[in-house]
Amino acid sequence: MRIEAVDFFYAAMPEISLDADGSQDALLVRVRAGDFEGWGECEASPLTSIAAFVTPRSHGVCQPVSASVLGERLDGVEDIARIAALVERQSMDLLQAAHTWSGIEIALWDLLGRRYETPVWRLLGYTASTPKTPYASMLFGDTPQETLERAAAARAAGFRAVKVGWAGYGEQSPARDADQVAAAREGLGDGDLLVDAGQIWGEDVEAAAERLPALEAAGATWLEEPFQPQAFRAYAALAARSPLVGIAGGEGAHSAHMALNLIDFAGVRFVQIDTARIGGIGPAKRVADHAAAHGVTFVNHTFTSHLALSASLQPFAGLAEHRICEYPVGPRAVALAITREHLVPGPDGTIHAPDAPGLGINVDLDAIAPYLRAVEIRVDGETLFVSPAPSGTVKDAVAL
């Protein structure tokens, strides 16, 4: 069968705040081939990602992503890798291509899983979907007391691990940050405490190191993304000064090579991969295999919908010793509306990648209809893209 159409659905909250909360909008991708369809999600700016699919070519290796996707054969997982190589080559100079392709690639895995009536994790070669311990992923509160209350609420809800971050952490004094970390520990109790710096220190190792004593005192498991994604020397230098607190990074990786370099050269103990950024499920699986072989713990990154959550679990679903996973505990309404199913922790507090065809998650176009934004892209009077109708069928949705 051949890829007949790729449809993008841009959904967003009515108002977008400046909070570091990626669940405020979403770009869903529907791919259709023969009698089958699959769904994916991009973790990126929706409008620019759509544009990368339809933009006029600039030259031979700056082509739209569509040039490598539409009309291509899709019969097995090897075709996904082949198309990925086409995108990498033909859109080499189109920097948004990796984000656009990520959502399409996820949808291709979902489509193949549905065609062959098997979960994506089985297509990846795993024989079981092993339990993962979700950590409640949230922002620091405006005050230490608010942080304490948020962590306590997550623990009361059954979470045994909590990650707090952003919301000014690292922007003011180490003493102020220490109070926030101590409050999170007090609210959480004896669970696993994770702290996310959100790349705040660029490549300033000394600024990051000033926070280590408070993190050590609180028994933090890791300090996440202290630096920019490719600041490998800074990562390595901080890791050497942090025997008790592990350094985590990788969510900003938009290629497998970036994540592999973090493992090989940056001293991270945890590599966090977002399938909706790195190029999809295939590259994430490559990183998971490399991490497992080199004593680094693979962790998913996701902060949007349960479609994205399922996609992020697939690459390490069968790695039983890699148990911790990110779980968006308080996403915005648009993120919750995207899917009919939600991955809810069971009585033992764990979640699994679904044991159902594809990603095992179904998109609810009726539920997200109120959040959909109408997009039309035109150049010289020619329409390059028009948002498909939410109720569109395989035969009548817009295909460009």
Side-chain angles (χ1 to χ4, degrees), residues 278-342:
I278 198 171
I281 290 171
K285 175 62 161 55
R286 179 184 175 189
V287 176
D289 290 344
H290 192 73
H294 290 78
V296 171
T297 299
F298 184 95
V299 186
N300 67 315
H301 172 269
T302 186
F303 203 76
T304 54
S305 74
H306 285 250
L307 179 70
L309 175 59
S310 177
S312 74
L313 292 173
Q314 306 296 328
F316 74 126
L319 298 180
E321 296 181 0
H322 299 239
R323 291 182 58 90
I324 194 165
C325 74
E326 183 163 31
Y327 189 91
V329 70
R332 303 296 177 98
V334 62
L336 290 173
I338 287 171
T339 62
R340 295 190 182 98
E341 302 86 5
H342 293 162

Side-chain angles (χ1 to χ4, degrees), residues 31 80-81 84 100-110 275 279-283:
V31 175
I80 300 179
T100 302
W101 166 244
S102 293
I104 297 169
E105 199 262 14
I106 291 167
L108 294 178
W109 282 99
D110 185 42
T275 56
I281 290 171

